[in-house]
Amino acid sequence: MGLTINYQIGDHPLQQVDDEQALPAEADFIWYDYENPTSLENHQLQNDFNFNKLEIDDTVNGTPRAKYKTYASYQYIVVHGIRDEDYRPTAINFFIKDNVLITYHHTHEQAITDINNTLCEHTIDCLTASSVMLYIIDQLVDYYFDYIYDIEEKVYDFEDKHVNDTTSKFIMDNVFKLRSDIIKLKRIVFPMHELIVTLKDSKTLFNSHKDYLYIQHIEDHMIKQENSIKTSDEMTNEIRENYESYSSYKMNNIMQILTLVSVIFSPLALITGIYGMNFKYMPELNWHYSYFAVLVIMLVIASICIWYFKKKKWF
């Protein structure tokens, strides 16, 4: 999409211009929005504002972590959105320099579009770079709820369907898929909460009581989101532990039965092994009833073993 330039004069709504030369000199607030910019626009960003080259490199070539840095002449903030398809983070980079706000992002961010449309359609007095950034962050954090509630609903539905299902071989695959999505959300939401706390404590970026209350409102939303994620995480962990415990219990029972069977057949195997030897002198082999006698002995031994194990309640 490239570069979009907006400005405000007095208490008028935001106005958009096609290029920087069309900006009026009396503009009180200017907003440059770079969406998937070209190499020429990246070069312009560096030359026009003289930002730190390392920050520009992170902004242009990667997905920086959520962070806040303050410099002598400007502030640099990175926040994260969430991809719909795989819950991976998308970066929105903010540069605040006096009455100028620069936003930079490689993907389309609906939060920026929504705030831009709102400010262009409605009058909000005395916009500042920090207040517009707060509007965008608030909208972005509100979008987090869609993903978090979606995961939460999947977890509750899964728990309802499989609460008594302990044999399906697909349970663990589904649980690990849910936990993978939860971990991806945690990697976005938790650092974002830390960033919001850092911004709230900043004495440079926000000076008005209104901005402080607004960022406190954003933090309240993030606390609620963290609690929802933790609840989903705990539920999937309990489902996993329950399945693993039941599987271990079943395996122990199987091993116990196999052990008892092997114990019962051990003396029988000993008898058959003795009479399977090809010694020439084994006088009982010539006895007419030896075969039946050995069968009876083997049956008695097996019965005694079964009776003893039953008495001990081993099965």
Side-chain angles (χ1 to χ4, degrees):
M1 182 177 179
L3 174 63
T4 302
I5 305 176
N6 295 281
Y7 70 92
Q8 183 189 44
I9 298 177
D11 58 356
H12 297 287
L14 276 185
Q15 302 291 320
Q16 184 173 324
V17 294
D18 294 330
D19 54 64
E20 195 171 8
Q21 286 70 30
L23 282 170
E26 64 272 21
D28 298 310
F29 166 68
I30 303 173
W31 178 9
Y32 297 87
D33 180 44
Y34 291 85
E35 179 178 324
N36 194 21
T38 63
S39 57
L40 179 62
E41 289 164 340
N42 290 330
H43 185 70
Q44 175 192 352
L45 174 67
Q46 174 63 49
N47 290 340
D48 289 357
F49 300 101
N50 195 29
F51 293 138
N52 185 301
K53 291 184 178 180
L54 295 177
E55 306 292 6
I56 293 295
D57 183 64
D58 284 347
T59 299
V60 172
N61 299 316
T63 303
R65 62 180 177 83
K67 59 184 175 180
Y68 166 53
K69 288 188 176 181
T70 179
Y71 294 89
S73 60
Y74 68 95
Q75 316 285 319
Y76 175 55
I77 302 97
V78 181
V79 301
H80 285 164
I82 302 175
R83 295 180 189 269
D84 290 335
E85 58 272 16
D86 56 7
Y87 294 165
R88 295 183 64 186
T90 61
I92 303 178
N93 304 267
F94 295 91
F95 295 90
I96 296 178
K97 186 175 184 179
D98 300 325
N99 67 330
V100 176
L101 172 66
I102 298 100
T103 53
Y104 188 106
H105 46 103
H106 291 286
T107 59
H108 175 72
E109 297 292 344
Q110 190 60 40
I112 291 180
T113 301
D114 291 345
I115 296 302
N116 187 21
N117 292 338
T118 299
L119 296 179
C120 288
E121 295 171 1
H122 301 87
T123 300
I124 299 180
D125 295 343
C126 302
L127 289 174
T128 64
S130 58
S131 64
V132 173
M133 183 190 71
L134 279 182
Y135 296 152
I136 295 172
I137 293 177
D138 182 41
Q139 188 71 30
L140 188 69
V141 169
D142 285 345
Y143 286 151
Y144 286 179
F145 281 110
D146 296 336
Y147 302 98
I148 292 171
Y149 287 155
D150 180 59
I151 286 291
E152 195 173 45
E153 184 177 353
K154 288 179 180 177
V155 171
Y156 280 110
D157 287 346
F158 185 85
E159 197 272 340
D160 289 339
K161 292 178 181 178
H162 299 285
V163 64
N164 294 318
D165 188 357
T166 54
T167 58
S168 175
K169 63 180 180 180
F170 302 109
I171 286 182
M172 293 304 290
D173 291 339
N174 294 332
V175 167
F176 281 116
K177 175 63 170 64
L178 284 173
R179 289 186 63 81
S180 174
D181 292 340
I182 291 172
I183 290 172
K184 291 175 183 177
L185 288 178
K186 287 170 68 175
R187 293 176 63 183
I188 295 175
V189 174
F190 284 44
M192 274 292 292
H193 186 196
E194 294 178 4
L195 173 64
I196 295 301
V197 172
T198 302
L199 293 178
K200 187 178 71 170
D201 295 338
S202 171
K203 304 299 182 183
T204 305
L205 193 57
F206 304 110
N207 297 317
S208 70
H209 184 62
K210 178 182 177 182
D211 286 343
Y212 178 82
L213 293 178
Y214 199 60
I215 200 167
Q216 180 66 54
H217 161 77
I218 296 174
E219 185 185 17
D220 291 340
H221 281 189
M222 301 227 65
I223 291 173
K224 183 178 179 180
Q225 291 169 355
E226 281 192 359
N227 290 336
S228 296
I229 290 176
K230 289 177 181 177
T231 300
S232 298
D233 190 27
E234 290 171 358
M235 288 188 64
T236 53
N237 191 45
E238 289 173 359
I239 293 172
R240 185 194 64 184
E241 290 178 350
N242 179 65
Y243 181 81
E244 289 177 347
S245 297
Y246 184 78
S247 297
S248 178
Y249 171 75
K250 285 180 60 180
M251 182 60 66
N252 288 337
N253 281 344
I254 293 172
M255 292 303 298
Q256 183 182 28
I257 292 173
L258 292 177
T259 301
L260 294 178
V261 170
S262 65
V263 170
I264 292 172
F265 278 90
S266 291
L268 309 185
L270 175 62
I271 295 174
T272 57
I274 291 174
Y275 287 102
M277 294 184 292
N278 295 319
F279 292 120
K280 184 175 181 180
Y281 184 71
M282 295 182 74
E284 62 270 27
L285 294 181
N286 296 320
W287 185 33
H288 182 73
Y289 299 103
S290 58
Y291 170 72
F292 301 102
V294 170
L295 287 181
V296 171
I297 292 172
M298 294 172 67
L299 179 61
V300 170
I301 293 174
S303 300
I304 292 174
C305 289
I306 294 173
W307 170 81
Y308 180 78
F309 296 151
K310 196 75 172 178
K311 181 179 179 181
K312 290 292 186 179
K313 298 183 179 179
W314 289 357
F315 68 91

